[in-house]
Short mmCIF file of all heavy atoms in Angstrom, two decimals:
data_model
loop_
_atom_site.label_atom_id
_atom_site.label_comp_id
_atom_site.label_asym_id
_atom_site.label_seq_id
_atom_site.Cartn_x
_atom_site.Cartn_y
_atom_site.Cartn_z
N MET A 271 6.17 -5.49 -2.17
CA MET A 271 6.24 -6.21 -0.95
C MET A 271 4.87 -6.78 -0.63
O MET A 271 3.86 -6.13 -0.83
CB MET A 271 6.61 -5.26 0.21
CG MET A 271 7.88 -4.61 0.11
SD MET A 271 8.53 -4.46 1.74
CE MET A 271 10.19 -4.91 1.42
N ASP A 272 4.86 -7.98 -0.11
CA ASP A 272 3.64 -8.61 0.33
C ASP A 272 3.67 -8.72 1.85
O ASP A 272 4.49 -9.42 2.40
CB ASP A 272 3.52 -9.99 -0.30
CG ASP A 272 2.26 -10.72 0.01
OD1 ASP A 272 1.51 -10.24 0.89
OD2 ASP A 272 2.00 -11.77 -0.59
N LEU A 273 2.80 -7.99 2.54
CA LEU A 273 2.82 -7.95 3.99
C LEU A 273 1.78 -8.88 4.59
O LEU A 273 1.50 -8.78 5.78
CB LEU A 273 2.55 -6.50 4.44
CG LEU A 273 3.53 -5.44 3.96
CD1 LEU A 273 3.17 -4.08 4.55
CD2 LEU A 273 4.97 -5.81 4.21
N TYR A 274 1.26 -9.78 3.82
CA TYR A 274 0.18 -10.68 4.29
C TYR A 274 0.56 -11.43 5.55
O TYR A 274 -0.26 -11.55 6.46
CB TYR A 274 -0.19 -11.65 3.17
CG TYR A 274 -1.29 -12.58 3.61
CD1 TYR A 274 -2.60 -12.11 3.68
CD2 TYR A 274 -1.02 -13.90 3.92
CE1 TYR A 274 -3.63 -12.98 4.08
CE2 TYR A 274 -2.06 -14.76 4.29
CZ TYR A 274 -3.36 -14.29 4.37
OH TYR A 274 -4.38 -15.12 4.74
N ARG A 275 1.78 -11.92 5.67
CA ARG A 275 2.16 -12.75 6.81
C ARG A 275 2.73 -11.92 7.96
O ARG A 275 3.22 -12.52 8.96
CB ARG A 275 3.16 -13.78 6.36
CG ARG A 275 2.51 -14.84 5.51
CD ARG A 275 3.47 -15.96 5.12
NE ARG A 275 2.79 -17.06 4.50
CZ ARG A 275 2.39 -17.13 3.25
NH1 ARG A 275 2.58 -16.08 2.47
NH2 ARG A 275 1.76 -18.18 2.76
N ILE A 276 2.66 -10.62 7.89
CA ILE A 276 3.12 -9.78 8.99
C ILE A 276 2.07 -9.72 10.07
O ILE A 276 0.93 -9.30 9.85
CB ILE A 276 3.44 -8.33 8.48
CG1 ILE A 276 4.54 -8.37 7.41
CG2 ILE A 276 3.82 -7.42 9.65
CD1 ILE A 276 5.89 -8.90 7.87
N ASP A 277 2.44 -10.16 11.28
CA ASP A 277 1.50 -10.17 12.39
C ASP A 277 1.76 -8.98 13.33
O ASP A 277 0.84 -8.49 13.98
CB ASP A 277 1.59 -11.45 13.18
CG ASP A 277 1.14 -12.67 12.37
OD1 ASP A 277 0.14 -12.51 11.66
OD2 ASP A 277 1.78 -13.73 12.46
N ASP A 278 3.01 -8.57 13.43
CA ASP A 278 3.40 -7.49 14.35
C ASP A 278 4.11 -6.39 13.56
O ASP A 278 5.04 -6.68 12.82
CB ASP A 278 4.35 -8.11 15.39
CG ASP A 278 4.80 -7.11 16.43
OD1 ASP A 278 4.42 -5.94 16.41
OD2 ASP A 278 5.58 -7.53 17.32
N PRO A 279 3.69 -5.13 13.70
CA PRO A 279 4.32 -4.06 12.99
C PRO A 279 5.83 -3.94 13.22
O PRO A 279 6.59 -3.46 12.38
CB PRO A 279 3.64 -2.78 13.51
CG PRO A 279 2.32 -3.28 13.95
CD PRO A 279 2.55 -4.68 14.48
N GLU A 280 6.34 -4.47 14.33
CA GLU A 280 7.78 -4.47 14.59
C GLU A 280 8.56 -5.27 13.56
O GLU A 280 9.67 -4.98 13.23
CB GLU A 280 8.04 -5.00 15.99
CG GLU A 280 9.50 -5.00 16.41
CD GLU A 280 10.10 -3.62 16.49
OE1 GLU A 280 9.37 -2.64 16.77
OE2 GLU A 280 11.30 -3.48 16.28
N GLU A 281 7.89 -6.26 13.00
CA GLU A 281 8.53 -7.09 11.96
C GLU A 281 8.91 -6.24 10.77
O GLU A 281 9.85 -6.57 10.06
CB GLU A 281 7.56 -8.21 11.53
CG GLU A 281 7.33 -9.27 12.56
CD GLU A 281 6.35 -10.34 12.07
OE1 GLU A 281 6.70 -11.07 11.13
OE2 GLU A 281 5.25 -10.40 12.63
N LEU A 282 8.14 -5.20 10.46
CA LEU A 282 8.41 -4.35 9.32
C LEU A 282 9.77 -3.66 9.45
O LEU A 282 10.49 -3.59 8.46
CB LEU A 282 7.31 -3.30 9.16
CG LEU A 282 5.91 -3.90 8.86
CD1 LEU A 282 4.88 -2.79 8.86
CD2 LEU A 282 5.93 -4.63 7.55
N SER A 283 10.08 -3.20 10.64
CA SER A 283 11.40 -2.56 10.79
C SER A 283 12.52 -3.56 10.68
O SER A 283 13.61 -3.28 10.19
CB SER A 283 11.48 -1.80 12.12
OG SER A 283 11.38 -2.68 13.19
N GLN A 284 12.28 -4.81 11.15
CA GLN A 284 13.29 -5.83 11.02
C GLN A 284 13.56 -6.23 9.57
O GLN A 284 14.62 -6.64 9.22
CB GLN A 284 12.85 -7.07 11.84
CG GLN A 284 12.84 -6.86 13.30
CD GLN A 284 12.17 -7.99 14.07
OE1 GLN A 284 11.74 -8.98 13.50
NE2 GLN A 284 12.14 -7.89 15.38
N LEU A 285 12.52 -6.06 8.76
CA LEU A 285 12.69 -6.37 7.32
C LEU A 285 13.34 -5.23 6.56
O LEU A 285 13.69 -5.40 5.38
CB LEU A 285 11.30 -6.64 6.72
CG LEU A 285 10.60 -7.88 7.18
CD1 LEU A 285 9.20 -7.92 6.60
CD2 LEU A 285 11.35 -9.13 6.72
N GLY A 286 13.50 -4.07 7.18
CA GLY A 286 14.12 -2.93 6.49
C GLY A 286 13.16 -2.22 5.58
O GLY A 286 13.56 -1.63 4.56
N LEU A 287 11.86 -2.24 5.91
CA LEU A 287 10.86 -1.66 5.02
C LEU A 287 11.10 -0.16 4.75
O LEU A 287 10.93 0.32 3.65
CB LEU A 287 9.46 -1.84 5.60
CG LEU A 287 8.29 -1.27 4.80
CD1 LEU A 287 8.19 -2.01 3.46
CD2 LEU A 287 7.00 -1.42 5.55
N GLU A 288 11.57 0.56 5.76
CA GLU A 288 11.79 2.00 5.60
C GLU A 288 12.80 2.30 4.52
O GLU A 288 12.72 3.29 3.83
CB GLU A 288 12.20 2.63 6.91
CG GLU A 288 11.06 2.76 7.87
CD GLU A 288 11.38 3.60 9.08
OE1 GLU A 288 12.35 4.38 9.01
OE2 GLU A 288 10.60 3.52 10.03
N GLU A 289 13.83 1.45 4.35
CA GLU A 289 14.81 1.63 3.30
C GLU A 289 14.15 1.60 1.93
O GLU A 289 14.50 2.35 1.04
CB GLU A 289 15.89 0.57 3.39
CG GLU A 289 16.76 0.69 4.63
CD GLU A 289 17.81 -0.44 4.71
OE1 GLU A 289 18.35 -0.79 3.65
OE2 GLU A 289 18.02 -0.88 5.80
N TYR A 290 13.18 0.75 1.77
CA TYR A 290 12.45 0.65 0.51
C TYR A 290 11.54 1.85 0.33
O TYR A 290 11.45 2.43 -0.75
CB TYR A 290 11.62 -0.63 0.42
CG TYR A 290 12.47 -1.88 0.28
CD1 TYR A 290 12.72 -2.68 1.37
CD2 TYR A 290 12.96 -2.26 -0.95
CE1 TYR A 290 13.48 -3.84 1.27
CE2 TYR A 290 13.71 -3.39 -1.08
CZ TYR A 290 13.98 -4.17 0.02
OH TYR A 290 14.73 -5.31 -0.13
N LEU A 291 10.80 2.20 1.38
CA LEU A 291 9.80 3.27 1.28
C LEU A 291 10.44 4.64 0.94
O LEU A 291 9.85 5.40 0.23
CB LEU A 291 9.02 3.42 2.60
CG LEU A 291 8.10 2.25 2.95
CD1 LEU A 291 7.45 2.51 4.31
CD2 LEU A 291 7.03 2.11 1.90
N TYR A 292 11.61 4.89 1.50
CA TYR A 292 12.20 6.21 1.31
C TYR A 292 13.38 6.19 0.36
O TYR A 292 14.17 7.12 0.32
CB TYR A 292 12.59 6.77 2.69
CG TYR A 292 11.34 6.88 3.56
CD1 TYR A 292 11.12 5.99 4.60
CD2 TYR A 292 10.39 7.85 3.30
CE1 TYR A 292 9.97 6.09 5.38
CE2 TYR A 292 9.25 7.93 4.05
CZ TYR A 292 9.04 7.07 5.10
OH TYR A 292 7.87 7.14 5.83
N SER A 293 13.44 5.19 -0.50
CA SER A 293 14.44 5.20 -1.57
C SER A 293 13.86 5.99 -2.74
O SER A 293 12.76 6.49 -2.68
CB SER A 293 14.77 3.77 -2.02
OG SER A 293 13.64 3.20 -2.64
N ARG A 294 14.61 6.14 -3.78
CA ARG A 294 14.17 6.94 -4.93
C ARG A 294 13.31 6.16 -5.90
O ARG A 294 12.85 6.68 -6.87
CB ARG A 294 15.39 7.52 -5.65
CG ARG A 294 16.08 8.54 -4.81
CD ARG A 294 17.23 9.11 -5.59
NE ARG A 294 17.73 10.25 -4.84
CZ ARG A 294 18.08 11.40 -5.39
NH1 ARG A 294 18.05 11.53 -6.67
NH2 ARG A 294 18.48 12.38 -4.65
N GLY A 295 13.11 4.90 -5.62
CA GLY A 295 12.31 4.08 -6.52
C GLY A 295 10.86 4.01 -6.15
O GLY A 295 10.36 4.73 -5.29
N ILE A 296 10.14 3.15 -6.79
CA ILE A 296 8.75 2.89 -6.52
C ILE A 296 8.63 1.64 -5.67
O ILE A 296 9.25 0.61 -6.00
CB ILE A 296 7.95 2.75 -7.84
CG1 ILE A 296 7.96 4.06 -8.62
CG2 ILE A 296 6.52 2.30 -7.54
CD1 ILE A 296 7.39 3.94 -10.01
N CYS A 297 7.83 1.71 -4.66
CA CYS A 297 7.65 0.55 -3.78
C CYS A 297 6.17 0.16 -3.82
O CYS A 297 5.30 0.97 -3.50
CB CYS A 297 8.06 0.94 -2.33
SG CYS A 297 7.94 -0.46 -1.20
N LEU A 298 5.90 -1.04 -4.28
CA LEU A 298 4.56 -1.54 -4.30
C LEU A 298 4.31 -2.45 -3.10
O LEU A 298 5.11 -3.32 -2.80
CB LEU A 298 4.29 -2.36 -5.56
CG LEU A 298 4.53 -1.63 -6.87
CD1 LEU A 298 4.43 -2.58 -8.03
CD2 LEU A 298 3.55 -0.52 -7.05
N ILE A 299 3.18 -2.20 -2.38
CA ILE A 299 2.96 -2.92 -1.13
C ILE A 299 1.54 -3.56 -1.22
O ILE A 299 0.57 -2.84 -1.43
CB ILE A 299 3.03 -2.02 0.09
CG1 ILE A 299 4.39 -1.34 0.15
CG2 ILE A 299 2.76 -2.79 1.38
CD1 ILE A 299 4.52 -0.30 1.23
N GLU A 300 1.52 -4.83 -1.01
CA GLU A 300 0.26 -5.56 -0.95
C GLU A 300 -0.08 -5.78 0.51
O GLU A 300 0.83 -6.03 1.31
CB GLU A 300 0.42 -6.90 -1.68
CG GLU A 300 -0.85 -7.65 -1.83
CD GLU A 300 -0.70 -8.88 -2.70
OE1 GLU A 300 0.47 -9.29 -2.99
OE2 GLU A 300 -1.71 -9.44 -3.08
N TRP A 301 -1.33 -5.69 0.89
CA TRP A 301 -1.77 -5.80 2.29
C TRP A 301 -1.23 -4.68 3.15
O TRP A 301 -0.79 -4.86 4.25
CB TRP A 301 -1.41 -7.19 2.88
CG TRP A 301 -2.06 -8.33 2.20
CD1 TRP A 301 -1.53 -9.06 1.17
CD2 TRP A 301 -3.34 -8.85 2.42
NE1 TRP A 301 -2.41 -10.01 0.73
CE2 TRP A 301 -3.57 -9.92 1.52
CE3 TRP A 301 -4.38 -8.54 3.29
CZ2 TRP A 301 -4.71 -10.64 1.45
CZ3 TRP A 301 -5.53 -9.27 3.27
CH2 TRP A 301 -5.70 -10.31 2.33
N ILE A 302 -1.32 -3.46 2.64
CA ILE A 302 -0.77 -2.28 3.33
C ILE A 302 -1.50 -2.01 4.66
O ILE A 302 -0.95 -1.35 5.52
CB ILE A 302 -0.80 -1.05 2.42
CG1 ILE A 302 0.16 0.00 2.97
CG2 ILE A 302 -2.22 -0.53 2.26
CD1 ILE A 302 0.50 1.09 1.98
N ASP A 303 -2.68 -2.60 4.83
CA ASP A 303 -3.40 -2.39 6.08
C ASP A 303 -2.66 -3.05 7.27
O ASP A 303 -3.01 -2.80 8.43
CB ASP A 303 -4.81 -2.95 5.99
CG ASP A 303 -4.90 -4.38 5.63
OD1 ASP A 303 -4.02 -4.87 4.86
OD2 ASP A 303 -5.83 -5.07 6.05
N ARG A 304 -1.62 -3.80 7.01
CA ARG A 304 -0.81 -4.37 8.10
C ARG A 304 0.17 -3.34 8.66
O ARG A 304 0.82 -3.62 9.67
CB ARG A 304 0.00 -5.57 7.58
CG ARG A 304 -0.80 -6.62 6.86
CD ARG A 304 -1.48 -7.50 7.85
NE ARG A 304 -2.35 -8.43 7.18
CZ ARG A 304 -2.59 -9.64 7.53
NH1 ARG A 304 -2.01 -10.12 8.61
NH2 ARG A 304 -3.42 -10.38 6.88
N MET A 305 0.29 -2.16 8.02
CA MET A 305 1.21 -1.12 8.51
C MET A 305 0.44 -0.19 9.45
O MET A 305 -0.71 0.14 9.20
CB MET A 305 1.74 -0.31 7.34
CG MET A 305 2.66 -1.09 6.42
SD MET A 305 3.22 -0.09 5.03
CE MET A 305 4.15 1.18 5.86
N ASP A 306 1.14 0.27 10.50
CA ASP A 306 0.52 1.22 11.43
C ASP A 306 0.51 2.63 10.83
O ASP A 306 -0.46 3.35 10.89
CB ASP A 306 1.29 1.28 12.75
CG ASP A 306 0.95 0.09 13.64
OD1 ASP A 306 -0.07 -0.56 13.41
OD2 ASP A 306 1.77 -0.20 14.56
N GLU A 307 1.65 3.02 10.26
CA GLU A 307 1.76 4.39 9.70
C GLU A 307 2.05 4.26 8.22
O GLU A 307 2.86 3.47 7.79
CB GLU A 307 2.94 5.13 10.36
CG GLU A 307 2.69 5.41 11.83
CD GLU A 307 3.84 6.20 12.42
OE1 GLU A 307 4.51 6.97 11.71
OE2 GLU A 307 4.12 6.00 13.62
N LEU A 308 1.34 5.11 7.47
CA LEU A 308 1.50 5.09 6.01
C LEU A 308 2.39 6.22 5.60
O LEU A 308 2.35 7.29 6.18
CB LEU A 308 0.15 5.19 5.32
CG LEU A 308 -0.86 4.09 5.67
CD1 LEU A 308 -2.18 4.34 4.95
CD2 LEU A 308 -0.29 2.73 5.32
N PRO A 309 3.24 6.00 4.58
CA PRO A 309 4.16 7.06 4.13
C PRO A 309 3.43 8.21 3.45
O PRO A 309 2.35 8.01 2.89
CB PRO A 309 5.09 6.34 3.16
CG PRO A 309 4.33 5.13 2.72
CD PRO A 309 3.41 4.77 3.85
N GLU A 310 4.01 9.39 3.47
CA GLU A 310 3.45 10.56 2.78
C GLU A 310 3.55 10.30 1.27
O GLU A 310 4.45 9.61 0.80
CB GLU A 310 4.24 11.79 3.14
CG GLU A 310 3.95 12.32 4.53
CD GLU A 310 4.61 13.62 4.77
OE1 GLU A 310 4.79 14.42 3.82
OE2 GLU A 310 5.01 13.85 5.94
N GLY A 311 2.68 10.91 0.51
CA GLY A 311 2.74 10.80 -0.94
C GLY A 311 2.26 9.44 -1.43
O GLY A 311 2.53 9.03 -2.57
N LEU A 312 1.53 8.73 -0.63
CA LEU A 312 1.05 7.40 -0.99
C LEU A 312 0.05 7.47 -2.10
O LEU A 312 -0.85 8.31 -2.10
CB LEU A 312 0.42 6.78 0.28
CG LEU A 312 -0.29 5.46 0.12
CD1 LEU A 312 0.76 4.37 -0.03
CD2 LEU A 312 -1.17 5.17 1.32
N LEU A 313 0.17 6.61 -3.08
CA LEU A 313 -0.84 6.44 -4.11
C LEU A 313 -1.40 5.04 -3.90
O LEU A 313 -0.71 4.05 -4.08
CB LEU A 313 -0.23 6.55 -5.53
CG LEU A 313 -1.15 6.22 -6.67
CD1 LEU A 313 -2.33 7.20 -6.73
CD2 LEU A 313 -0.39 6.27 -7.97
N ARG A 314 -2.63 4.99 -3.45
CA ARG A 314 -3.27 3.68 -3.13
C ARG A 314 -4.05 3.20 -4.37
O ARG A 314 -4.92 3.90 -4.84
CB ARG A 314 -4.18 3.81 -1.95
CG ARG A 314 -4.80 2.52 -1.52
CD ARG A 314 -5.77 2.75 -0.37
NE ARG A 314 -5.09 3.33 0.77
CZ ARG A 314 -4.91 2.72 1.91
NH1 ARG A 314 -5.38 1.51 2.07
NH2 ARG A 314 -4.29 3.33 2.89
N ILE A 315 -3.73 2.02 -4.85
CA ILE A 315 -4.43 1.39 -5.95
C ILE A 315 -5.14 0.18 -5.45
O ILE A 315 -4.56 -0.64 -4.78
CB ILE A 315 -3.44 1.03 -7.08
CG1 ILE A 315 -2.74 2.27 -7.58
CG2 ILE A 315 -4.16 0.31 -8.22
CD1 ILE A 315 -1.62 2.02 -8.54
N ARG A 316 -6.44 0.09 -5.74
CA ARG A 316 -7.23 -1.03 -5.27
C ARG A 316 -7.66 -1.87 -6.50
O ARG A 316 -8.13 -1.36 -7.49
CB ARG A 316 -8.47 -0.55 -4.57
CG ARG A 316 -8.20 0.07 -3.24
CD ARG A 316 -9.52 0.42 -2.55
NE ARG A 316 -9.29 0.97 -1.27
CZ ARG A 316 -9.14 2.26 -0.99
NH1 ARG A 316 -9.18 3.13 -1.97
NH2 ARG A 316 -8.92 2.67 0.22
N LEU A 317 -7.51 -3.18 -6.35
CA LEU A 317 -7.97 -4.15 -7.34
C LEU A 317 -9.09 -4.94 -6.65
O LEU A 317 -8.84 -5.58 -5.67
CB LEU A 317 -6.87 -5.06 -7.78
CG LEU A 317 -5.58 -4.40 -8.30
CD1 LEU A 317 -4.53 -5.40 -8.55
CD2 LEU A 317 -5.88 -3.57 -9.56
N GLU A 318 -10.28 -4.88 -7.18
CA GLU A 318 -11.42 -5.54 -6.58
C GLU A 318 -12.03 -6.55 -7.51
O GLU A 318 -12.15 -6.31 -8.71
CB GLU A 318 -12.48 -4.51 -6.20
CG GLU A 318 -11.97 -3.45 -5.24
CD GLU A 318 -13.03 -2.38 -5.00
OE1 GLU A 318 -14.11 -2.71 -4.49
OE2 GLU A 318 -12.75 -1.23 -5.38
N VAL A 319 -12.43 -7.67 -6.95
CA VAL A 319 -13.16 -8.70 -7.72
C VAL A 319 -14.61 -8.29 -7.75
O VAL A 319 -15.19 -7.84 -6.75
CB VAL A 319 -13.03 -10.07 -7.03
CG1 VAL A 319 -13.85 -11.09 -7.78
CG2 VAL A 319 -11.55 -10.46 -6.96
N THR A 320 -15.24 -8.31 -8.92
CA THR A 320 -16.66 -7.99 -9.04
C THR A 320 -17.45 -9.29 -9.11
O THR A 320 -16.87 -10.38 -9.21
CB THR A 320 -16.92 -7.16 -10.32
OG1 THR A 320 -16.66 -7.94 -11.45
CG2 THR A 320 -16.08 -5.87 -10.34
N GLU A 321 -18.75 -9.13 -9.11
CA GLU A 321 -19.59 -10.33 -9.21
C GLU A 321 -19.66 -10.87 -10.63
O GLU A 321 -20.06 -12.00 -10.82
CB GLU A 321 -20.98 -10.00 -8.68
CG GLU A 321 -20.95 -9.76 -7.17
CD GLU A 321 -22.37 -9.62 -6.63
OE1 GLU A 321 -23.32 -10.09 -7.22
OE2 GLU A 321 -22.46 -9.07 -5.51
N GLU A 322 -19.23 -10.05 -11.61
CA GLU A 322 -19.19 -10.51 -12.97
C GLU A 322 -17.94 -11.36 -13.21
O GLU A 322 -16.83 -10.94 -12.80
CB GLU A 322 -19.21 -9.31 -13.95
CG GLU A 322 -20.48 -8.52 -13.84
CD GLU A 322 -20.43 -7.31 -14.74
OE1 GLU A 322 -20.17 -7.53 -15.97
OE2 GLU A 322 -20.60 -6.19 -14.25
N GLU A 323 -18.06 -12.44 -13.91
CA GLU A 323 -16.95 -13.35 -14.16
C GLU A 323 -15.86 -12.63 -14.98
O GLU A 323 -16.15 -11.94 -15.96
CB GLU A 323 -17.42 -14.57 -14.91
CG GLU A 323 -16.36 -15.63 -15.04
CD GLU A 323 -16.88 -16.91 -15.67
OE1 GLU A 323 -18.09 -17.14 -15.62
OE2 GLU A 323 -16.04 -17.64 -16.21
N ASN A 324 -14.63 -12.75 -14.56
CA ASN A 324 -13.44 -12.20 -15.25
C ASN A 324 -13.43 -10.68 -15.31
O ASN A 324 -12.77 -10.10 -16.15
CB ASN A 324 -13.30 -12.80 -16.63
CG ASN A 324 -13.10 -14.27 -16.62
OD1 ASN A 324 -12.40 -14.80 -15.76
ND2 ASN A 324 -13.71 -14.97 -17.54
N ILE A 325 -14.17 -10.03 -14.43
CA ILE A 325 -14.18 -8.55 -14.41
C ILE A 325 -13.61 -8.08 -13.07
O ILE A 325 -13.98 -8.54 -12.02
CB ILE A 325 -15.63 -7.97 -14.55
CG1 ILE A 325 -16.25 -8.47 -15.88
CG2 ILE A 325 -15.63 -6.48 -14.47
CD1 ILE A 325 -15.61 -7.92 -17.12
N ARG A 326 -12.69 -7.13 -13.12
CA ARG A 326 -12.06 -6.56 -11.94
C ARG A 326 -12.28 -5.05 -11.98
O ARG A 326 -12.36 -4.45 -13.05
CB ARG A 326 -10.56 -6.85 -11.86
CG ARG A 326 -10.20 -8.34 -11.93
CD ARG A 326 -10.68 -9.04 -10.66
NE ARG A 326 -10.27 -10.43 -10.69
CZ ARG A 326 -11.06 -11.45 -11.07
NH1 ARG A 326 -12.26 -11.17 -11.51
NH2 ARG A 326 -10.65 -12.67 -11.04
N ARG A 327 -12.33 -4.43 -10.84
CA ARG A 327 -12.48 -3.00 -10.75
C ARG A 327 -11.16 -2.44 -10.20
O ARG A 327 -10.63 -2.94 -9.22
CB ARG A 327 -13.62 -2.62 -9.78
CG ARG A 327 -13.81 -1.11 -9.64
CD ARG A 327 -14.99 -0.78 -8.73
NE ARG A 327 -16.21 -1.32 -9.30
CZ ARG A 327 -16.99 -2.19 -8.65
NH1 ARG A 327 -16.72 -2.60 -7.44
NH2 ARG A 327 -18.10 -2.65 -9.22
N ILE A 328 -10.65 -1.44 -10.85
CA ILE A 328 -9.41 -0.77 -10.44
C ILE A 328 -9.75 0.67 -10.04
O ILE A 328 -10.38 1.35 -10.81
CB ILE A 328 -8.36 -0.77 -11.58
CG1 ILE A 328 -8.01 -2.19 -11.96
CG2 ILE A 328 -7.11 -0.02 -11.12
CD1 ILE A 328 -7.13 -2.29 -13.18
N SER A 329 -9.36 1.05 -8.87
CA SER A 329 -9.55 2.43 -8.40
C SER A 329 -8.30 2.93 -7.72
O SER A 329 -7.46 2.10 -7.34
CB SER A 329 -10.75 2.51 -7.49
OG SER A 329 -10.57 1.71 -6.36
N TYR A 330 -8.18 4.22 -7.60
CA TYR A 330 -7.03 4.75 -6.91
C TYR A 330 -7.36 6.03 -6.15
O TYR A 330 -8.29 6.74 -6.48
CB TYR A 330 -5.83 5.02 -7.89
CG TYR A 330 -6.12 6.11 -8.86
CD1 TYR A 330 -5.72 7.40 -8.61
CD2 TYR A 330 -6.72 5.84 -10.06
CE1 TYR A 330 -5.97 8.41 -9.53
CE2 TYR A 330 -6.99 6.83 -11.00
CZ TYR A 330 -6.60 8.12 -10.74
OH TYR A 330 -6.83 9.11 -11.60
N ASP A 331 -6.60 6.27 -5.11
CA ASP A 331 -6.67 7.48 -4.35
C ASP A 331 -5.28 8.12 -4.39
O ASP A 331 -4.30 7.48 -4.03
CB ASP A 331 -6.99 7.19 -2.86
CG ASP A 331 -8.33 6.51 -2.68
OD1 ASP A 331 -9.26 6.81 -3.47
OD2 ASP A 331 -8.44 5.66 -1.80
N SER A 332 -5.23 9.36 -4.82
CA SER A 332 -3.94 10.03 -4.81
C SER A 332 -3.84 10.97 -3.61
O SER A 332 -4.86 11.45 -3.14
CB SER A 332 -3.71 10.78 -6.14
OG SER A 332 -4.68 11.81 -6.24
N PRO A 333 -2.64 11.24 -3.15
CA PRO A 333 -2.49 12.12 -1.99
C PRO A 333 -2.88 13.55 -2.37
O PRO A 333 -2.69 13.98 -3.51
CB PRO A 333 -1.01 12.02 -1.65
CG PRO A 333 -0.37 11.57 -2.91
CD PRO A 333 -1.39 10.77 -3.66
N ARG A 334 -3.41 14.28 -1.41
CA ARG A 334 -3.72 15.68 -1.62
C ARG A 334 -2.46 16.49 -1.45
O ARG A 334 -1.66 16.22 -0.56
CB ARG A 334 -4.75 16.18 -0.63
CG ARG A 334 -6.11 15.64 -0.87
CD ARG A 334 -7.04 16.29 0.09
NE ARG A 334 -8.39 16.20 -0.43
CZ ARG A 334 -9.44 16.66 0.14
NH1 ARG A 334 -9.32 17.25 1.31
NH2 ARG A 334 -10.61 16.56 -0.39
N ARG A 335 -2.27 17.44 -2.31
CA ARG A 335 -1.11 18.35 -2.20
C ARG A 335 -1.58 19.64 -1.61
O ARG A 335 -2.63 20.20 -2.01
CB ARG A 335 -0.51 18.59 -3.58
CG ARG A 335 0.12 17.41 -4.18
CD ARG A 335 0.81 17.79 -5.43
NE ARG A 335 1.43 16.62 -6.03
CZ ARG A 335 2.05 16.63 -7.18
NH1 ARG A 335 2.15 17.75 -7.86
NH2 ARG A 335 2.61 15.56 -7.65
N GLU A 336 -0.83 20.14 -0.67
CA GLU A 336 -1.14 21.44 -0.12
C GLU A 336 -0.64 22.51 -1.05
O GLU A 336 0.47 22.47 -1.53
CB GLU A 336 -0.47 21.62 1.24
CG GLU A 336 -1.04 20.69 2.35
CD GLU A 336 -0.43 20.96 3.66
OE1 GLU A 336 0.08 22.06 3.86
OE2 GLU A 336 -0.48 20.09 4.52
N GLU A 337 -1.54 23.45 -1.36
CA GLU A 337 -1.18 24.53 -2.23
C GLU A 337 -0.60 25.69 -1.42
O GLU A 337 -1.10 26.01 -0.35
CB GLU A 337 -2.39 24.98 -3.05
CG GLU A 337 -2.86 23.94 -4.00
CD GLU A 337 -4.02 24.42 -4.85
OE1 GLU A 337 -4.06 25.63 -5.09
OE2 GLU A 337 -4.84 23.59 -5.27
N THR A 338 0.45 26.29 -1.98
CA THR A 338 1.02 27.47 -1.32
C THR A 338 0.83 28.68 -2.19
O THR A 338 0.86 28.57 -3.42
CB THR A 338 2.53 27.24 -1.03
OG1 THR A 338 3.18 26.95 -2.26
CG2 THR A 338 2.75 26.12 -0.06
N ALA A 339 0.58 29.80 -1.61
CA ALA A 339 0.33 31.03 -2.39
C ALA A 339 1.55 31.85 -2.40
O ALA A 339 2.43 31.80 -1.66
CB ALA A 339 -0.83 31.76 -1.76
#
């Protein structure tokens, strides 16, 4: 999903975003900063342009899991 043109978070519910987020598949979201609340278990992947020509930096943050004893 590309959320670039989303101006109001209410638009996300009108688009049925929750159906995609909580389905059994993988949902890729571009411009996720347009969302107010982020889903649990989120894996955030960042693609960054570097100052070197044709070089990109890829990084990710994985969700923390609570350990139970």
Side-chain angles (χ1 to χ4, degrees):
M271 299 214 136
D272 183 350
L273 303 182
Y274 181 74
R275 289 183 170 79
I276 299 297
D277 294 320
D278 181 1
E280 182 63 29
E281 292 178 67
L282 296 174
S283 64
Q284 294 172 358
L285 293 172
L287 181 63
E288 286 191 17
E289 291 178 39
Y290 290 100
L291 291 177
Y292 300 106
S293 67
R294 292 182 169 221
I296 295 173
C297 183
L298 302 173
I299 303 173
E300 189 174 11
W301 297 94
I302 198 165
D303 57 328
R304 308 281 174 145
M305 292 178 64
D306 283 341
E307 294 181 31
L308 301 179
E310 288 186 32
L312 174 73
L313 174 61
R314 183 183 301 248
I315 300 172
R316 289 185 177 91
L317 306 174
E318 301 173 63
V319 176
T320 66
E321 293 187 20
E322 297 179 53
E323 188 174 338
N324 297 322
I325 302 293
R326 305 292 183 263
R327 180 178 299 123
I328 300 173
S329 60
Y330 66 93
D331 300 325
S332 64
R334 289 185 157 179
R335 292 186 180 177
E336 292 185 21
E337 294 184 28
T338 57

